[in-house]
Amino acid sequence: MPDFSDRCRRAAHDAHALIEQWIGQTGLPSDALPRLLAYFSDDFSMVTTDGQRLPDGALPGLFARLAGSRPGLSIRIDEFAVPVSYTHLRAHETGRN
């Protein structure tokens, strides 16, 4: 059974593969955006490449605007770390937040 950090790593790679497809390809099926957004929690926040923090709730609109905008886009993850505390790990393992 994979450990918590392995599951986090797999989810990050899977999400980035969907982002790569969403931005780098056209003609994706209608369920592609909802599948992509399912990787992000409602309280997810993101800092853009120019250093700006996206406002709450802006991620769906951002991805909608970026659909197919960078044909051939390739995303590579060079480094990956899972910063997690014991409290977060126990909450995950027990199903309690």
Side-chain angles (χ1 to χ4, degrees):
M1 179 166 119
D3 70 9
F4 182 71
S5 63
D6 288 338
R7 289 190 302 247
C8 291
R9 182 175 285 108
R10 173 70 358 225
H13 282 277
D14 291 349
H16 281 85
L18 287 173
I19 293 168
E20 181 179 275
Q21 291 173 358
W22 180 255
I23 298 173
Q25 298 178 17
T26 58
L28 292 176
S30 60
D31 70 336
L33 183 56
R35 282 188 300 116
L36 171 58
L37 292 173
Y39 277 91
F40 301 93
S41 69
D42 292 338
D43 61 349
F44 175 81
S45 65
M46 182 173 124
V47 176
T48 63
T49 56
D50 65 357
Q52 302 296 312
R53 183 184 177 277
L54 282 181
D56 291 344
L59 196 61
L62 172 69
F63 280 132
R65 285 189 306 278
L66 292 174
S69 65
R70 302 275 309 272
L73 174 70
S74 177
I75 297 175
R76 186 180 80 216
I77 299 173
D78 290 327
E79 293 183 33
F80 186 88
V82 179
V84 64
S85 70
Y86 176 76
T87 303
H88 288 111
L89 183 56
R90 288 298 301 150
H92 174 76
E93 290 174 347
T94 62
R96 289 184 266 166
N97 292 327

